[in-house]
Each structure stands twice: as C-alpha cells, then as structure tokens.
Amino acid sequence: MSAARFGQAARESVAGLPRAFWWLWTSTLVNRLGAFVATFMTLYLTLERGYSASFAGLVVALHGLGGVVSSLVAGVMTDRLGRRPTLLAAQASTAFSVALLGFMEHPAAIAAVALLVGVTSNASRPAVAAMMADIVRPEDRVRAFALNYWAINLGFAVSATAAGVIAEYSYLAGFLGEAALTLACAVLVFVKLPESRPERPTSGSDAAGEEPAIGLGTVLRDGRFMGVVGLSFLISLIFTQGSVGLPVAMGAAGFSPGDYGLVVAVNGVLIVLLQIPVTSFIERRDPQKLLVISALLAGYGFALTAFAGPVWAYALTVCVWTLAEIVNSPTQMGLVVRLSPVHGRGRYQGVYNLSWAVASLVAPLMAGLLIDRYGADWLWAATGVLGTVAAAGYWLLMRGLSEGDAGVAVVAGSPGTEATEAESGSVAEVAGEAQGDAKPAAAAGVA
C-alpha cells in the first residue's frame, strides 16, 4: 500500500465520528497506557516474590475468575443501571484494588486482591462496548470498534516498554501508576461522557412487549451467537499465553522483565502500524477463510516459540501471532456487533467478554501446569493443537453456507430495527457485513 493510499485510508477511518466517541476513545487510550498488572503479574510473582510458576498461574487464574463473574454482572448492570454508572464504578474500584495489590505481601492476601482486581478491571468492558454502539451510527460502528482497538494497542505498545523498565526498579511504582491512570479515566468519564443507554419504547408495539424477555437466558439460547463465543474462547486461550506463558518461559530462560517488555511490545507496535492497511486488504475477503487462516497463524505462531533462542527470535514469533490477531479480531467482532439487540447490548457484550474472562482463568492454570511438569515446549505444542481445533471450528461454523449467502451484506438500519436484523439474520449475512461495511471492528474486550 502506497503512503498516499495509507493516508487516505487513515483519514477515512477517523472522519465523521461523534465527539463523545473520541472522549471514550481517549479514556481507553489512557487506561491502556497504565496497563501493568495483567502484563507483569507472572513476572512479579516469580521473579520479585520468588513463587513458583504454578502459584503464579493460580493467582492469575483468580484474576481471570474475577473477570468471569464481572462479565455477566457488569453486562446486566450496563443494561439496567446504564453505561456511565457502570463505567464509573468499575474504574474507581479498579484504581483502589490495583493500588492495594501493590502493598500485599502474604500469598493468601495477594490471591484475594488479585481476584478483586479481576472483578473490577473487567467490569468496564461491556459498558464501553455498549456505549460505543449507542453513540456511533450503525454504518460507522465497525470503524469505531477498529479505532478503539487501535487505541488499546497503541497504549499497550507504550506501556509494555515503559512498564518493563519500571519493573526493573520498582514493581510498586507500576501498580500505583496504573491506579493513578485508571482513576484519571474515571474522572474523564464523569466529566465528559453523558449516559447513552437507549430509552425503551413506551408504545404498545409487539417489539416493546418482547423486550423484558431479553435476559442472560436469551443470550445463552442464541445458538449462532454462542458458537462465536465458544470459538472466541479457544482463540483467547491462545492469545492469553502472550501475557501468561511467554513471560514465565522467558524468565526461566534467563531473560529480564525489560527483555520481555520489549518483545511483547512488538505486538502493540505492529497492530498500530498494520491495522489500517491489513484491514483494507481483508475487508472484502471471504470471512470463513480469514477466520480459519487466522486461527492457524495464532496457534502455530505461538508454537514457534519452542524454537526461539535469542530475543529477536521471540520477537519474530510475536510477529506471526500478531498478524493472526489483526485478522481474527475485526472479522469476529463484526459478527458480535450485529448479533446484539439494542436493549440487550450489555448482556450480549458481557457474555462475549466471558470468552476472554474464562480464557484468563484457564490459560494461567494450563501454562503453570505444563511448564512446571513438562516444560514450556509442551505449552507451545498445545497452542498449535488449539489453533488447529479453532480453525476446524470456524470452518464447520460456516461450512453449510452457500457462496452467495456468505457474500450477502446486511444493510445497516436504524437502531430500532437492529434487533430484528440481529435475531433473524444468518451467520452468513453477518459475516458478509463484516466484510463490506467500511472497516472491520475489533474486539474491545482484548484489552
């Protein structure tokens, strides 16, 4: 892609979005600039505190367990109480719990507060995604989610490098820094973002009469949507090893926190640099092929870590699975956005984020067990198997669709008609829309 074409694509990506979106985007960027706990928890426990990989895996798993609980609870809160109150409560409590974690010394206290951090830090995700869908026009939502994902990774690229340096001098400074920036996000939300939850219709229409039935049971019975959630879990289980298995393996190989910070920062830098041109390349490709190929790249990208020696070799493996992330996340999120009814967005986003939360619970246990008992190479082999299974799952999910159906795009309608489209449209229609509707969206829950 030429520089001129890249510049044009960049200008088209940011044009026409409402001011409220940019404040939400800014809060996402600030929040990710302070990311420390999720990235360096395993190194903090194994190198700074001297605990085993199994204990580190248990603590990070408890952090993930907190996310499992809060994904569902926060999803319901987002629909019932509103987006803004949920965001404020989540960010303020996260700032407190992260700061508290930095002062914990007893193993049981560390585990308990890590669970609390998991509950609070994941509670904002359904609200952010729902608010973004509320304030952005249907035809611009794909683009808005992609820009939010870009902010997540821009912040991560900076914070991973900076936090690696900070960790070599003081882990406590990292905890307090994340707490301060998270509190700044809460202030920003309070000052700049109004409530965006759509008002429920007061007429006696059939649609209005059916809305109270949208609950967690409705989401769980939505077979098409839950298929996406299940495959997202497998992919999340792989990607989570970038912050769980990779730091432990590099630490055991004699690398410093700074080395790991530089290696994992490659992920964020590449997404910042490549998200726009790669999106332009894939947006009209067959989503089935994109999902299958990205799953294989993710699994075998991590599997290549078994053969890495010097730091640059680890960085090369990150390049492979980062490409998978760039392709998979927007294509998959295109399905999720259109499958969510207007007045059930919080619950649908909560269940979707559950796939990442459960992966955050399972991945550390898997990594700790395999590394302690069999060695890191077995962990990387397992990621290859998971990638293969996920690729087969994506292929089966869309195998029954005709070529014509797979390319049909659902025309974005008004918010009032979106629930009908989401509930009656086929996976093929949804996937077709993810291809042709401007820029594919990326998962706001990767954060």
Side-chain angles (χ1 to χ4, degrees), residues 329-408:
S329 294
T331 308
Q332 183 167 253
M333 192 61 188
L335 306 180
V336 174
V337 172
R338 298 302 299 175
L339 287 173
S340 304
V342 173
H343 296 289
R345 282 176 182 151
R347 291 175 174 85
Y348 270 72
Q349 289 292 340
V351 173
Y352 175 69
N353 286 321
L354 191 65
S355 64
W356 283 92
V358 174
S360 297
L361 170 64
V362 175
L365 298 175
M366 181 180 78
L369 179 65
L370 290 178
I371 291 176
D372 279 349
R373 291 193 177 184
Y374 306 106
D377 288 352
W378 280 83
L379 174 64
W380 308 131
T383 61
V385 173
L386 288 173
T388 303
V389 172
Y394 283 124
W395 180 74
L396 289 172
L397 179 70
M398 304 178 75
R399 185 182 62 167
L401 306 174
S402 68
E403 292 185 6
D405 289 340
V408 174

Side-chain angles (χ1 to χ4, degrees), residues 71-320:
S71 291
L72 298 178
V73 174
V76 174
M77 288 175 60
T78 296
D79 285 337
R80 289 188 176 180
L81 302 181
R83 286 58 160 141
R84 188 169 178 263
T86 304
L87 272 176
L88 286 171
Q91 292 174 341
S93 56
T94 297
F96 169 77
S97 59
V98 166
L100 182 64
L101 182 59
F103 292 98
M104 295 297 99
E105 295 185 358
H106 192 279
I110 292 174
V113 179
L115 174 64
L116 178 62
V117 172
V119 170
T120 58
S121 62
N122 283 278
S124 62
R125 293 181 179 180
V128 169
M131 179 175 280
M132 200 167 298
D134 296 338
I135 64 181
V136 176
R137 296 179 304 175
E139 61 268 27
D140 292 332
R141 285 183 193 140
V142 169
R143 187 159 50 100
F145 274 97
L147 286 169
N148 190 67
Y149 189 60
W150 189 83
I152 289 171
N153 286 280
L154 176 61
F156 178 75
V158 175
S159 67
T161 303
V165 175
I166 292 171
E168 293 187 357
Y169 294 95
S170 172
Y171 278 92
L172 178 60
F175 286 105
L176 295 180
E178 177 169 347
L181 287 174
T182 305
L183 188 60
C185 289
V187 173
L188 183 61
V189 168
F190 178 77
V191 173
K192 293 294 184 180
L193 288 174
E195 178 55 54
S196 66
R197 181 178 56 172
E199 294 293 333
R200 291 182 178 274
T202 57
S203 65
S205 64
D206 293 339
E210 293 176 1
E211 285 186 354
I214 298 178
L216 288 177
T218 307
V219 185
L220 297 176
R221 289 190 297 270
D222 189 335
R224 291 169 294 148
F225 180 77
M226 292 308 297
V228 176
V229 171
L231 292 173
S232 174
F233 165 73
L234 295 181
I235 291 296
S236 303
L237 200 60
I238 298 172
F239 284 131
T240 304
Q241 298 305 330
S243 60
V244 176
L246 184 59
V248 172
M250 290 188 67
F255 293 103
S256 70
D259 292 329
Y260 167 69
L262 289 173
V263 167
V264 78
V266 171
N267 172 254
V269 170
L270 285 179
I271 290 176
V272 169
L273 294 177
L274 299 180
Q275 184 72 64
I276 292 176
V278 171
T279 292
S280 178
F281 176 77
I282 69 173
E283 62 183 351
R284 297 191 182 280
R285 265 60 180 186
D286 181 3
Q288 181 188 41
K289 292 179 180 178
L290 292 177
L291 292 171
V292 169
I293 292 172
S294 63
L296 293 174
L297 283 175
Y300 291 104
F302 273 97
L304 288 173
T305 309
F307 304 98
V311 170
W312 62 263
Y314 282 94
L316 284 179
T317 65
V318 173
C319 292
V320 177

